[in-house]
Amino acid sequence: MDKFIIEGGTPLKGTIAISGSKNAALPIMAGALLGDSETTITNIPRLQDIYTFNNVIRVVGARVDFDDQNNKMVIDPTHVSHLEAPYDLVRKMRASFYMLGALVGKHKYAKVSLPGGCAWGPRPVDLHLKGMEAMGIDVELDGGYVIAKADDTLPPASYELSPSSVGATVNLLLASVLRSEEFTLKNAAKEPDVVQLCEALVQMGADISGIGTDTLVVRKVDSLKGIQIHNDPDRIELGTFMIAGAMKPGNELELTGCDPEQLGNFPELLRETGASVSIEGDVITLKAPDVLKPVSITTDIYPGFPTDLQAQWATMLTQAEGSSSVTDTVYYDRFSYVPELSRLGAKMHVDKNTVHISGKTMLTGASVMSTDLRASVSLVMAAMVAEKTTEVLRIYHLDRGYESLEDKLNGVGAKIKRADDQ
Ligand code: EPZ
């Protein structure tokens, strides 16, 4: 397995291009299976999760051509025949569960493995299944698989998500657009990833109203056609680099290819730390403050502070002058990075779903273990400000969600080497 060897202490100065969004790409890849012709998606990032999902889509019989040097993907759904997604693939990546909505939505039958948990605990799919049952889909569990069956036309129905869920919203949209006379989804997720999926489905011919709000109304159409679509830039990668830029005095990053609209009030929060954040079109320039102020945050569903930036923000707060806290109200146990940061000298402790941080602490290199995607990138961010050398182990977690991470960071002055950790 690969590891990173990181020499800390050098300031980050320069330009980084933001890649296409992983979490926005996966739903529209699943959505392409609803079409009667091929779909072309550009700005797809070269990430392990994308390759994994390609394999899941190929297993059902679709053709997927991924020109990964040009981030361009063509999905031809016209020969889908095997309406199953197997455990050994679904367990590798939770978003493979979107195959349930895509297959039952298009072909009225699906047999899809329940996804596994993940490093920070169980991640249920009860809302996906209850929403489908409410829609009139027959859902049964058999040996770790979900078997879903739908009639050609499902009667008018509605369902309210509690709590709001990105994945359940995606799956219920995929299941309903070709099937449900009128399906009303309340407390739907409003993340940009969901908005992009709705816009893609409408471009394919779907009838969806309420896009961008927490109440979506879907009305059945008879068919959908393939489209050409340009995937959104990755707002979580962008937020990650903005936070990394704020962590060390002297850092100055220019981030290009951004969609600042998708950041909500995140830029304002970052300015409260003393960082300077200027936004010109699709370019965000960030300058670190000489003294980082402690700004406590609580995560929330969109447009609140994203849980996917929770670990990165807490890591930055180890460099703030004073005490602060980070509370996650979306995932109550997403703190596996805390013991690893403590090995570098951070002073943090977790109490229920809040991590309390005292800063500013000098971090010193050590060997640390990646546990999940966002925890891993936080360890890299800490290593870049730590004294001496840090080894970040099991960086396959990073390869799932950050395209060319070490190239991008080394391009602005970091000293990161990839090595085999044997
Ligand atoms: C998506 O996961 C993202 N993944 C996650 O990003 C992100 O953290 C999450 O949304 C929240 O924004 C992708 O888009 C591929 P949820 P998802 O369903 O859809 C509970 C990353 O780092 N819940 O919105 O699985 C759940 O336990 C990944 O890129 C149920 O109770 O998240 C959580 O507390 C990690 N029952 C809350 O809802 C359900 O059936 C939000 O989860 C489904 C969810």
Side-chain angles (χ1 to χ4, degrees), residues 22-23 26 94-95 98 120 123-128 163-167 307-308 330-331 334 373-374:
K22 162 176 84 82
N23 290 353
L26 295 167
R94 174 184 170 79
Y98 294 160
W120 71 80
R123 289 176 64 189
V125 288
D126 57 309
L127 296 174
H128 301 234
S164 180
S165 156
V166 170
T307 174
D308 289 351
V330 176
Y331 292 110
R334 196 177 184 174
L373 173 55
R374 308 305 173 180

PDB file of all heavy atoms in Angstrom, residues 22-23 26 94-95 98 120 123-128 163-167 307-308 330-331 334 373-374, ligand 1:
ATOM      1  N   LYS A  22     -16.307  14.723  -7.632  1.00  0.00           N
ATOM      2  CA  LYS A  22     -16.633  13.291  -7.488  1.00  0.00           C
ATOM      3  C   LYS A  22     -18.098  13.117  -7.130  1.00  0.00           C
ATOM      4  O   LYS A  22     -18.829  12.366  -7.780  1.00  0.00           O
ATOM      5  CB  LYS A  22     -15.765  12.695  -6.382  1.00  0.00           C
ATOM      6  CG  LYS A  22     -16.259  11.365  -5.819  1.00  0.00           C
ATOM      7  CD  LYS A  22     -15.324  10.761  -4.789  1.00  0.00           C
ATOM      8  CE  LYS A  22     -15.525  11.294  -3.408  1.00  0.00           C
ATOM      9  NZ  LYS A  22     -16.636  10.678  -2.639  1.00  0.00           N
ATOM     10  N   ASN A  23     -18.557  13.869  -6.126  1.00  0.00           N
ATOM     11  CA  ASN A  23     -19.915  13.648  -5.608  1.00  0.00           C
ATOM     12  C   ASN A  23     -20.997  14.186  -6.525  1.00  0.00           C
ATOM     13  O   ASN A  23     -22.169  13.854  -6.362  1.00  0.00           O
ATOM     14  CB  ASN A  23     -20.041  14.243  -4.213  1.00  0.00           C
ATOM     15  CG  ASN A  23     -19.233  13.448  -3.202  1.00  0.00           C
ATOM     16  OD1 ASN A  23     -18.696  12.389  -3.531  1.00  0.00           O
ATOM     17  ND2 ASN A  23     -19.128  13.964  -1.988  1.00  0.00           N
ATOM     18  N   LEU A  26     -20.921  11.142  -9.789  1.00  0.00           N
ATOM     19  CA  LEU A  26     -21.504   9.811  -9.569  1.00  0.00           C
ATOM     20  C   LEU A  26     -23.008   9.773  -9.831  1.00  0.00           C
ATOM     21  O   LEU A  26     -23.492   8.886 -10.552  1.00  0.00           O
ATOM     22  CB  LEU A  26     -21.154   9.322  -8.158  1.00  0.00           C
ATOM     23  CG  LEU A  26     -19.656   9.089  -7.911  1.00  0.00           C
ATOM     24  CD1 LEU A  26     -19.361   8.919  -6.412  1.00  0.00           C
ATOM     25  CD2 LEU A  26     -19.152   7.875  -8.687  1.00  0.00           C
ATOM     26  N   ARG A  94     -19.917   3.229  -1.513  1.00  0.00           N
ATOM     27  CA  ARG A  94     -21.316   3.343  -1.101  1.00  0.00           C
ATOM     28  C   ARG A  94     -22.197   3.897  -2.207  1.00  0.00           C
ATOM     29  O   ARG A  94     -23.337   3.467  -2.382  1.00  0.00           O
ATOM     30  CB  ARG A  94     -21.345   4.253   0.123  1.00  0.00           C
ATOM     31  CG  ARG A  94     -22.679   4.614   0.636  1.00  0.00           C
ATOM     32  CD  ARG A  94     -22.547   5.597   1.781  1.00  0.00           C
ATOM     33  NE  ARG A  94     -23.833   6.134   2.125  1.00  0.00           N
ATOM     34  CZ  ARG A  94     -24.731   5.481   2.856  1.00  0.00           C
ATOM     35  NH1 ARG A  94     -24.445   4.283   3.314  1.00  0.00           N
ATOM     36  NH2 ARG A  94     -25.896   6.017   3.134  1.00  0.00           N
ATOM     37  N   ALA A  95     -21.685   4.829  -3.001  1.00  0.00           N
ATOM     38  CA  ALA A  95     -22.529   5.478  -4.016  1.00  0.00           C
ATOM     39  C   ALA A  95     -22.951   4.484  -5.097  1.00  0.00           C
ATOM     40  O   ALA A  95     -23.844   4.762  -5.888  1.00  0.00           O
ATOM     41  CB  ALA A  95     -21.786   6.644  -4.645  1.00  0.00           C
ATOM     42  N   TYR A  98     -26.583   3.786  -5.811  1.00  0.00           N
ATOM     43  CA  TYR A  98     -27.427   4.539  -6.754  1.00  0.00           C
ATOM     44  C   TYR A  98     -27.935   3.618  -7.871  1.00  0.00           C
ATOM     45  O   TYR A  98     -28.889   3.954  -8.575  1.00  0.00           O
ATOM     46  CB  TYR A  98     -26.643   5.688  -7.390  1.00  0.00           C
ATOM     47  CG  TYR A  98     -26.218   6.803  -6.459  1.00  0.00           C
ATOM     48  CD1 TYR A  98     -25.174   7.654  -6.811  1.00  0.00           C
ATOM     49  CD2 TYR A  98     -26.838   7.015  -5.229  1.00  0.00           C
ATOM     50  CE1 TYR A  98     -24.763   8.684  -5.968  1.00  0.00           C
ATOM     51  CE2 TYR A  98     -26.440   8.046  -4.401  1.00  0.00           C
ATOM     52  CZ  TYR A  98     -25.402   8.867  -4.769  1.00  0.00           C
ATOM     53  OH  TYR A  98     -24.990   9.891  -3.950  1.00  0.00           O
ATOM     54  N   TRP A 120     -16.129   5.538   9.613  1.00  0.00           N
ATOM     55  CA  TRP A 120     -16.601   6.257  10.802  1.00  0.00           C
ATOM     56  C   TRP A 120     -17.982   5.759  11.236  1.00  0.00           C
ATOM     57  O   TRP A 120     -18.758   6.473  11.873  1.00  0.00           O
ATOM     58  CB  TRP A 120     -16.580   7.775  10.568  1.00  0.00           C
ATOM     59  CG  TRP A 120     -17.591   8.318   9.636  1.00  0.00           C
ATOM     60  CD1 TRP A 120     -18.899   8.575   9.908  1.00  0.00           C
ATOM     61  CD2 TRP A 120     -17.396   8.682   8.271  1.00  0.00           C
ATOM     62  NE1 TRP A 120     -19.521   9.076   8.802  1.00  0.00           N
ATOM     63  CE2 TRP A 120     -18.627   9.149   7.781  1.00  0.00           C
ATOM     64  CE3 TRP A 120     -16.330   8.670   7.417  1.00  0.00           C
ATOM     65  CZ2 TRP A 120     -18.818   9.595   6.479  1.00  0.00           C
ATOM     66  CZ3 TRP A 120     -16.509   9.101   6.122  1.00  0.00           C
ATOM     67  CH2 TRP A 120     -17.739   9.558   5.673  1.00  0.00           C
ATOM     68  N   ARG A 123     -23.604   3.532   7.980  1.00  0.00           N
ATOM     69  CA  ARG A 123     -24.258   4.574   7.169  1.00  0.00           C
ATOM     70  C   ARG A 123     -25.486   3.914   6.548  1.00  0.00           C
ATOM     71  O   ARG A 123     -25.415   3.260   5.535  1.00  0.00           O
ATOM     72  CB  ARG A 123     -23.270   5.116   6.139  1.00  0.00           C
ATOM     73  CG  ARG A 123     -22.192   5.959   6.823  1.00  0.00           C
ATOM     74  CD  ARG A 123     -21.138   6.443   5.895  1.00  0.00           C
ATOM     75  NE  ARG A 123     -21.663   7.356   4.895  1.00  0.00           N
ATOM     76  CZ  ARG A 123     -20.908   7.760   3.863  1.00  0.00           C
ATOM     77  NH1 ARG A 123     -19.709   7.256   3.692  1.00  0.00           N
ATOM     78  NH2 ARG A 123     -21.399   8.609   2.982  1.00  0.00           N
ATOM     79  N   PRO A 124     -26.627   4.095   7.207  1.00  0.00           N
ATOM     80  CA  PRO A 124     -27.839   3.371   6.831  1.00  0.00           C
ATOM     81  C   PRO A 124     -28.389   3.818   5.471  1.00  0.00           C
ATOM     82  O   PRO A 124     -28.016   4.880   4.953  1.00  0.00           O
ATOM     83  CB  PRO A 124     -28.810   3.746   7.944  1.00  0.00           C
ATOM     84  CG  PRO A 124     -28.324   5.031   8.474  1.00  0.00           C
ATOM     85  CD  PRO A 124     -26.834   5.012   8.317  1.00  0.00           C
ATOM     86  N   VAL A 125     -29.256   2.979   4.905  1.00  0.00           N
ATOM     87  CA  VAL A 125     -29.955   3.343   3.661  1.00  0.00           C
ATOM     88  C   VAL A 125     -31.459   3.165   3.850  1.00  0.00           C
ATOM     89  O   VAL A 125     -32.207   3.028   2.882  1.00  0.00           O
ATOM     90  CB  VAL A 125     -29.457   2.484   2.466  1.00  0.00           C
ATOM     91  CG1 VAL A 125     -28.058   2.900   2.056  1.00  0.00           C
ATOM     92  CG2 VAL A 125     -29.558   1.002   2.778  1.00  0.00           C
ATOM     93  N   ASP A 126     -31.887   3.229   5.101  1.00  0.00           N
ATOM     94  CA  ASP A 126     -33.323   3.012   5.378  1.00  0.00           C
ATOM     95  C   ASP A 126     -34.210   4.031   4.666  1.00  0.00           C
ATOM     96  O   ASP A 126     -35.289   3.694   4.175  1.00  0.00           O
ATOM     97  CB  ASP A 126     -33.569   3.052   6.891  1.00  0.00           C
ATOM     98  CG  ASP A 126     -33.090   4.362   7.517  1.00  0.00           C
ATOM     99  OD1 ASP A 126     -31.932   4.748   7.281  1.00  0.00           O
ATOM    100  OD2 ASP A 126     -33.895   5.023   8.206  1.00  0.00           O
ATOM    101  N   LEU A 127     -33.714   5.268   4.532  1.00  0.00           N
ATOM    102  CA  LEU A 127     -34.550   6.297   3.889  1.00  0.00           C
ATOM    103  C   LEU A 127     -34.713   6.011   2.392  1.00  0.00           C
ATOM    104  O   LEU A 127     -35.766   6.247   1.797  1.00  0.00           O
ATOM    105  CB  LEU A 127     -33.928   7.682   4.091  1.00  0.00           C
ATOM    106  CG  LEU A 127     -33.839   8.163   5.537  1.00  0.00           C
ATOM    107  CD1 LEU A 127     -33.079   9.479   5.613  1.00  0.00           C
ATOM    108  CD2 LEU A 127     -35.218   8.293   6.162  1.00  0.00           C
ATOM    109  N   HIS A 128     -33.635   5.461   1.769  1.00  0.00           N
ATOM    110  CA  HIS A 128     -33.735   5.091   0.348  1.00  0.00           C
ATOM    111  C   HIS A 128     -34.883   4.085   0.187  1.00  0.00           C
ATOM    112  O   HIS A 128     -35.714   4.211  -0.708  1.00  0.00           O
ATOM    113  CB  HIS A 128     -32.444   4.420  -0.122  1.00  0.00           C
ATOM    114  CG  HIS A 128     -31.195   5.232   0.017  1.00  0.00           C
ATOM    115  ND1 HIS A 128     -30.333   5.478  -1.024  1.00  0.00           N
ATOM    116  CD2 HIS A 128     -30.621   5.835   1.104  1.00  0.00           C
ATOM    117  CE1 HIS A 128     -29.298   6.201  -0.608  1.00  0.00           C
ATOM    118  NE2 HIS A 128     -29.461   6.434   0.670  1.00  0.00           N
ATOM    119  N   PRO A 163     -33.588  12.154   8.596  1.00  0.00           N
ATOM    120  CA  PRO A 163     -33.120  13.477   8.235  1.00  0.00           C
ATOM    121  C   PRO A 163     -33.015  13.622   6.720  1.00  0.00           C
ATOM    122  O   PRO A 163     -33.230  12.648   5.990  1.00  0.00           O
ATOM    123  CB  PRO A 163     -31.718  13.512   8.871  1.00  0.00           C
ATOM    124  CG  PRO A 163     -31.239  12.096   8.776  1.00  0.00           C
ATOM    125  CD  PRO A 163     -32.468  11.263   9.028  1.00  0.00           C
ATOM    126  N   SER A 164     -32.712  14.829   6.264  1.00  0.00           N
ATOM    127  CA  SER A 164     -32.489  15.029   4.831  1.00  0.00           C
ATOM    128  C   SER A 164     -31.286  14.179   4.427  1.00  0.00           C
ATOM    129  O   SER A 164     -30.371  13.965   5.222  1.00  0.00           O
ATOM    130  CB  SER A 164     -32.214  16.502   4.547  1.00  0.00           C
ATOM    131  OG  SER A 164     -32.004  16.676   3.158  1.00  0.00           O
ATOM    132  N   SER A 165     -31.313  13.647   3.216  1.00  0.00           N
ATOM    133  CA  SER A 165     -30.238  12.736   2.798  1.00  0.00           C
ATOM    134  C   SER A 165     -29.927  12.958   1.324  1.00  0.00           C
ATOM    135  O   SER A 165     -30.833  12.867   0.483  1.00  0.00           O
ATOM    136  CB  SER A 165     -30.680  11.280   3.014  1.00  0.00           C
ATOM    137  OG  SER A 165     -29.964  10.406   2.146  1.00  0.00           O
ATOM    138  N   VAL A 166     -28.636  13.207   1.020  1.00  0.00           N
ATOM    139  CA  VAL A 166     -28.204  13.378  -0.376  1.00  0.00           C
ATOM    140  C   VAL A 166     -28.458  12.090  -1.145  1.00  0.00           C
ATOM    141  O   VAL A 166     -29.125  12.077  -2.180  1.00  0.00           O
ATOM    142  CB  VAL A 166     -26.712  13.766  -0.430  1.00  0.00           C
ATOM    143  CG1 VAL A 166     -26.180  13.714  -1.858  1.00  0.00           C
ATOM    144  CG2 VAL A 166     -26.490  15.141   0.186  1.00  0.00           C
ATOM    145  N   GLY A 167     -27.970  10.988  -0.608  1.00  0.00           N
ATOM    146  CA  GLY A 167     -28.068   9.709  -1.326  1.00  0.00           C
ATOM    147  C   GLY A 167     -29.489   9.270  -1.545  1.00  0.00           C
ATOM    148  O   GLY A 167     -29.846   8.803  -2.631  1.00  0.00           O
ATOM    149  N   THR A 307     -20.243  18.849   6.094  1.00  0.00           N
ATOM    150  CA  THR A 307     -19.565  17.851   6.933  1.00  0.00           C
ATOM    151  C   THR A 307     -18.285  17.364   6.262  1.00  0.00           C
ATOM    152  O   THR A 307     -17.330  16.999   6.950  1.00  0.00           O
ATOM    153  CB  THR A 307     -20.487  16.653   7.229  1.00  0.00           C
ATOM    154  OG1 THR A 307     -19.760  15.651   7.921  1.00  0.00           O
ATOM    155  CG2 THR A 307     -21.068  16.048   5.958  1.00  0.00           C
ATOM    156  N   ASP A 308     -18.222  17.433   4.929  1.00  0.00           N
ATOM    157  CA  ASP A 308     -17.026  16.955   4.220  1.00  0.00           C
ATOM    158  C   ASP A 308     -15.838  17.896   4.377  1.00  0.00           C
ATOM    159  O   ASP A 308     -14.739  17.563   3.932  1.00  0.00           O
ATOM    160  CB  ASP A 308     -17.316  16.758   2.728  1.00  0.00           C
ATOM    161  CG  ASP A 308     -18.218  15.574   2.503  1.00  0.00           C
ATOM    162  OD1 ASP A 308     -18.466  14.836   3.468  1.00  0.00           O
ATOM    163  OD2 ASP A 308     -18.702  15.405   1.379  1.00  0.00           O
ATOM    164  N   VAL A 330     -24.267  16.187  11.144  1.00  0.00           N
ATOM    165  CA  VAL A 330     -24.687  15.295  10.051  1.00  0.00           C
ATOM    166  C   VAL A 330     -24.230  13.869  10.347  1.00  0.00           C
ATOM    167  O   VAL A 330     -24.965  12.909  10.271  1.00  0.00           O
ATOM    168  CB  VAL A 330     -24.115  15.790   8.702  1.00  0.00           C
ATOM    169  CG1 VAL A 330     -24.451  14.812   7.577  1.00  0.00           C
ATOM    170  CG2 VAL A 330     -24.647  17.183   8.395  1.00  0.00           C
ATOM    171  N   TYR A 331     -22.909  13.758  10.713  1.00  0.00           N
ATOM    172  CA  TYR A 331     -22.347  12.474  11.180  1.00  0.00           C
ATOM    173  C   TYR A 331     -21.803  12.717  12.582  1.00  0.00           C
ATOM    174  O   TYR A 331     -20.934  13.564  12.768  1.00  0.00           O
ATOM    175  CB  TYR A 331     -21.210  12.018  10.264  1.00  0.00           C
ATOM    176  CG  TYR A 331     -21.647  11.630   8.880  1.00  0.00           C
ATOM    177  CD1 TYR A 331     -21.325  12.414   7.784  1.00  0.00           C
ATOM    178  CD2 TYR A 331     -22.413  10.486   8.666  1.00  0.00           C
ATOM    179  CE1 TYR A 331     -21.730  12.066   6.510  1.00  0.00           C
ATOM    180  CE2 TYR A 331     -22.825  10.124   7.389  1.00  0.00           C
ATOM    181  CZ  TYR A 331     -22.476  10.916   6.324  1.00  0.00           C
ATOM    182  OH  TYR A 331     -22.892  10.573   5.061  1.00  0.00           O
ATOM    183  N   ARG A 334     -17.682  11.344  13.129  1.00  0.00           N
ATOM    184  CA  ARG A 334     -16.710  11.495  12.036  1.00  0.00           C
ATOM    185  C   ARG A 334     -15.447  12.188  12.556  1.00  0.00           C
ATOM    186  O   ARG A 334     -15.055  13.239  12.081  1.00  0.00           O
ATOM    187  CB  ARG A 334     -17.383  12.295  10.919  1.00  0.00           C
ATOM    188  CG  ARG A 334     -16.668  12.205   9.585  1.00  0.00           C
ATOM    189  CD  ARG A 334     -17.428  12.955   8.512  1.00  0.00           C
ATOM    190  NE  ARG A 334     -16.789  12.788   7.222  1.00  0.00           N
ATOM    191  CZ  ARG A 334     -17.285  13.234   6.070  1.00  0.00           C
ATOM    192  NH1 ARG A 334     -18.413  13.913   6.054  1.00  0.00           N
ATOM    193  NH2 ARG A 334     -16.643  13.028   4.931  1.00  0.00           N
ATOM    194  N   LEU A 373     -11.499   9.281   3.593  1.00  0.00           N
ATOM    195  CA  LEU A 373     -11.063  10.277   2.603  1.00  0.00           C
ATOM    196  C   LEU A 373     -10.754  11.641   3.208  1.00  0.00           C
ATOM    197  O   LEU A 373      -9.656  12.187   3.043  1.00  0.00           O
ATOM    198  CB  LEU A 373     -12.175  10.404   1.550  1.00  0.00           C
ATOM    199  CG  LEU A 373     -12.065  11.482   0.498  1.00  0.00           C
ATOM    200  CD1 LEU A 373     -10.758  11.385  -0.247  1.00  0.00           C
ATOM    201  CD2 LEU A 373     -13.244  11.391  -0.451  1.00  0.00           C
ATOM    202  N   ARG A 374     -11.655  12.201   3.970  1.00  0.00           N
ATOM    203  CA  ARG A 374     -11.466  13.583   4.446  1.00  0.00           C
ATOM    204  C   ARG A 374     -10.513  13.616   5.644  1.00  0.00           C
ATOM    205  O   ARG A 374      -9.782  14.582   5.845  1.00  0.00           O
ATOM    206  CB  ARG A 374     -12.805  14.236   4.783  1.00  0.00           C
ATOM    207  CG  ARG A 374     -13.832  14.149   3.677  1.00  0.00           C
ATOM    208  CD  ARG A 374     -13.348  14.702   2.338  1.00  0.00           C
ATOM    209  NE  ARG A 374     -14.335  14.442   1.288  1.00  0.00           N
ATOM    210  CZ  ARG A 374     -14.213  14.791   0.013  1.00  0.00           C
ATOM    211  NH1 ARG A 374     -13.121  15.398  -0.381  1.00  0.00           N
ATOM    212  NH2 ARG A 374     -15.133  14.515  -0.871  1.00  0.00           N
TER     213      ARG A 374
HETATM  214  C1  EPZ B   1     -23.141  12.029   0.588  1.00  0.00           C
HETATM  215  O1  EPZ B   1     -23.171  10.810   1.303  1.00  0.00           O
HETATM  216  C2  EPZ B   1     -21.689  12.242   0.203  1.00  0.00           C
HETATM  217  N1  EPZ B   1     -21.244  11.140  -0.659  1.00  0.00           N
HETATM  218  C3  EPZ B   1     -20.824  12.291   1.460  1.00  0.00           C
HETATM  219  O2  EPZ B   1     -19.498  12.594   1.047  1.00  0.00           O
HETATM  220  C4  EPZ B   1     -21.327  13.424   2.356  1.00  0.00           C
HETATM  221  O3  EPZ B   1     -20.595  13.395   3.556  1.00  0.00           O
HETATM  222  C5  EPZ B   1     -22.821  13.227   2.650  1.00  0.00           C
HETATM  223  O4  EPZ B   1     -23.560  13.119   1.423  1.00  0.00           O
HETATM  224  C6  EPZ B   1     -23.408  14.379   3.462  1.00  0.00           C
HETATM  225  O5  EPZ B   1     -23.254  15.569   2.737  1.00  0.00           O
HETATM  226  C7  EPZ B   1     -21.514  11.196  -1.973  1.00  0.00           C
HETATM  227  O6  EPZ B   1     -22.116  12.143  -2.460  1.00  0.00           O
HETATM  228  C8  EPZ B   1     -21.015  10.049  -2.809  1.00  0.00           C
HETATM  229  P1  EPZ B   1     -26.501  11.343   3.414  1.00  0.00           P
HETATM  230  P2  EPZ B   1     -24.604  10.137   1.675  1.00  0.00           P
HETATM  231  O7  EPZ B   1     -27.421  10.260   2.970  1.00  0.00           O
HETATM  232  O8  EPZ B   1     -25.565  10.383   0.575  1.00  0.00           O
HETATM  233  C9  EPZ B   1     -28.315   9.714   7.461  1.00  0.00           C
HETATM  234  C10 EPZ B   1     -17.190  12.265   0.868  1.00  0.00           C
HETATM  235  O9  EPZ B   1     -16.343  12.470   1.748  1.00  0.00           O
HETATM  236  N2  EPZ B   1     -29.039   8.727   6.641  1.00  0.00           N
HETATM  237  O10 EPZ B   1     -26.788  12.753   3.001  1.00  0.00           O
HETATM  238  O11 EPZ B   1     -24.351   8.754   2.084  1.00  0.00           O
HETATM  239  C11 EPZ B   1     -26.813   9.466   7.487  1.00  0.00           C
HETATM  240  O12 EPZ B   1     -26.486   8.509   8.466  1.00  0.00           O
HETATM  241  C12 EPZ B   1     -18.482  11.586   1.223  1.00  0.00           C
HETATM  242  O13 EPZ B   1     -17.088  12.627  -0.327  1.00  0.00           O
HETATM  243  C13 EPZ B   1     -29.976   7.893   7.230  1.00  0.00           C
HETATM  244  O14 EPZ B   1     -30.208   7.943   8.433  1.00  0.00           O
HETATM  245  O15 EPZ B   1     -25.019  10.996   2.946  1.00  0.00           O
HETATM  246  C14 EPZ B   1     -26.281  10.833   7.819  1.00  0.00           C
HETATM  247  O16 EPZ B   1     -26.358  11.042   9.210  1.00  0.00           O
HETATM  248  C15 EPZ B   1     -18.444  11.026   2.629  1.00  0.00           C
HETATM  249  N3  EPZ B   1     -30.635   6.993   6.463  1.00  0.00           N
HETATM  250  C16 EPZ B   1     -27.276  11.778   7.134  1.00  0.00           C
HETATM  251  O17 EPZ B   1     -28.443  10.994   6.858  1.00  0.00           O
HETATM  252  C17 EPZ B   1     -30.428   6.909   5.104  1.00  0.00           C
HETATM  253  O18 EPZ B   1     -31.096   6.090   4.430  1.00  0.00           O
HETATM  254  C18 EPZ B   1     -26.776  12.350   5.815  1.00  0.00           C
HETATM  255  O19 EPZ B   1     -26.352  11.252   5.001  1.00  0.00           O
HETATM  256  C19 EPZ B   1     -29.477   7.775   4.519  1.00  0.00           C
HETATM  257  C20 EPZ B   1     -28.799   8.683   5.308  1.00  0.00           C
END
